[in-house]
Amino acid sequence: MTETQQQSSILTASGLSKTFGKNRAVIDASFDVKRGEIFVVMGLSGSGKSTLIRMLNGLLEPTSGSVTVAGTTISGLPAAKLREVRKRSVSMVFQHFALLPHRTVIDNVAYGLEIQGVAKAERLERADTIIRLVGLDGRQNSLPSQLSGGMQQRVGLGRALASDTDILLMDEAFSALDPLIRREMQEQLIELQSELGKTIIFITHDLNEAMFLGDRIAVMRDGSIVQIGTPEEILTDPANDYVAQFVQDVDRARVLTAASVMEPARSVVTVTAGPRAALRTMRDMQSGATFVLGRDRRFAGVVRDRDVMRQVKRGETDLRAVLLDDATTVTSDVVISELVELSVGSDLPIAVLDDKQRLIGVIPRVTLLAALGNVSSTTGEIPITETIATVTVSEMTDVLDTNLEGAVK
């Protein structure tokens, strides 16, 4: 996805409201959905999220406000023109599959193409390609009744993908599935979105699902959107007490990334600085090693105090002679659940590098532990909860200490 695509909006909701009698189901909802992102609308039952998604494809006419899809305002469109917009731009995956029971898998997947008027040979060929993509190869001629719930939902997803619309609307699409199958479908959806670049608007009541899938999340309560942000923004900076309570039991280790917990690197020298400067830096930082950078802050490696001291005694001036490559490095988008094991294997902070191999921050072990338990590494305060995935900070520290002892032995 290009930078222009990332910045452009394919769907805009402006001041959307929907009233049923005296019940205000949706209240003044406004947001943009960017081309190629997964935008999750999350809320408890009765929060208005299902009403909202039905206004986004014209199944419900808003009481006030408007929806613009791919440049066309669909609110108030005549039925015939609205159907054309749906054929071209919006398809939907339902919670309970909504398959045609008398049609085979391939005919179900091809159904949207049939509605679009695509010739039979072409639609069957395209449907067969999608069936393989969603992991149902060999089931082309099965009926829905012959499939498991997970397979049926793959057919529903395949039908939406085969229509080749710009936007997929998914209303609690995985909530009827068993937990293991649900996770598989979540992972496959991310893979398909990455491969096909579809824009997905996903409705869910499950916060962990929202955090796993969403590029951005809109949190709804009583018909209103109370916060829109990335998973990290919502987890680390909730807009109000309601959102804070919502996120307190989230598995932070699978949401927060290296970028959100890293600190500025302090024990750093340039490769041209020389051994004496490196030794002075380590003394000032009370560190037994220091990171070494080349030109443009590109990461070069690490030097350790004992090696640099020998250089000073011998009158040597080139740090590159004792440069080591034993530092642990990661990119900024690595989730912190993957950093725990890495921190065990290194006595240095984890170095965070950008795509040009420049050092942009470090993650000391204490900072990682504090992030896992939502404890400030500077104040020790516990703003929300000291547990993560039922493991306390103290238990995590014990585990790491045990692993470190084993590594040393």
Side-chain angles (χ1 to χ4, degrees), residues 124-195:
L124 291 179
E125 181 179 353
R126 286 166 59 178
D128 190 60
T129 299
I130 293 296
I131 286 169
R132 290 196 294 272
L133 273 178
V134 299
L136 287 175
D137 194 22
R139 290 287 191 167
Q140 283 85 340
N141 296 316
S142 298
L143 292 171
S145 60
Q146 298 171 309
L147 304 177
S148 66
M151 288 180 176
Q152 290 182 47
Q153 191 57 289
R154 290 174 189 270
V155 177
L157 178 59
R159 180 176 57 195
L161 291 171
S163 298
D164 201 26
T165 57
D166 299 316
I167 302 169
L168 295 184
L169 302 180
M170 304 185 70
D171 186 11
E172 298 276 11
F174 303 148
S175 62
L177 304 177
D178 293 336
L180 289 177
I181 302 299
R182 185 173 186 171
R183 187 66 174 190
E184 288 178 10
M185 291 297 297
Q186 292 168 358
E187 292 172 349
Q188 182 164 48
L189 181 64
I190 289 177
E191 291 175 7
L192 289 170
Q193 193 272 345
S194 176
E195 182 175 347

Side-chain angles (χ1 to χ4, degrees), residues 69-226:
V69 177
T72 300
T73 299
I74 66 171
S75 306
L77 266 187
K81 290 186 178 179
L82 182 57
R83 283 195 295 271
E84 288 302 315
V85 172
R86 289 195 191 118
K87 287 180 186 179
R88 180 182 71 250
S89 298
V90 183
S91 53
M92 195 157 182
V93 182
F94 298 93
Q95 177 180 355
H96 297 293
F97 320 138
L99 303 181
L100 300 171
H102 59 286
R103 289 191 173 218
T104 62
V105 166
I106 195 166
D107 286 335
N108 263 287
V109 172
Y111 182 69
L113 298 174
E114 183 180 340
I115 297 299
Q116 292 175 8
V118 176
K120 183 175 182 179
E122 182 182 349
R123 68 176 183 254
L124 291 179
E125 181 179 353
R126 286 166 59 178
D128 190 60
T129 299
I130 293 296
I131 286 169
R132 290 196 294 272
L133 273 178
V134 299
L136 287 175
D137 194 22
R139 290 287 191 167
Q140 283 85 340
N141 296 316
S142 298
L143 292 171
S145 60
Q146 298 171 309
L147 304 177
S148 66
M151 288 180 176
Q152 290 182 47
Q153 191 57 289
R154 290 174 189 270
V155 177
L157 178 59
R159 180 176 57 195
L161 291 171
S163 298
D164 201 26
T165 57
D166 299 316
I167 302 169
L168 295 184
L169 302 180
M170 304 185 70
D171 186 11
E172 298 276 11
F174 303 148
S175 62
L177 304 177
D178 293 336
L180 289 177
I181 302 299
R182 185 173 186 171
R183 187 66 174 190
E184 288 178 10
M185 291 297 297
Q186 292 168 358
E187 292 172 349
Q188 182 164 48
L189 181 64
I190 289 177
E191 291 175 7
L192 289 170
Q193 193 272 345
S194 176
E195 182 175 347
L196 302 175
K198 295 293 183 182
T199 303
I200 299 171
I201 301 175
F202 194 98
I203 304 295
T204 183
H205 65 273
D206 186 315
L207 183 59
N208 280 307
E209 182 169 66
M211 291 282 180
F212 182 73
L213 291 176
D215 295 312
R216 288 187 300 147
I217 301 169
V219 182
M220 292 193 74
R221 182 189 188 189
D222 297 333
S224 297
I225 295 177
V226 296

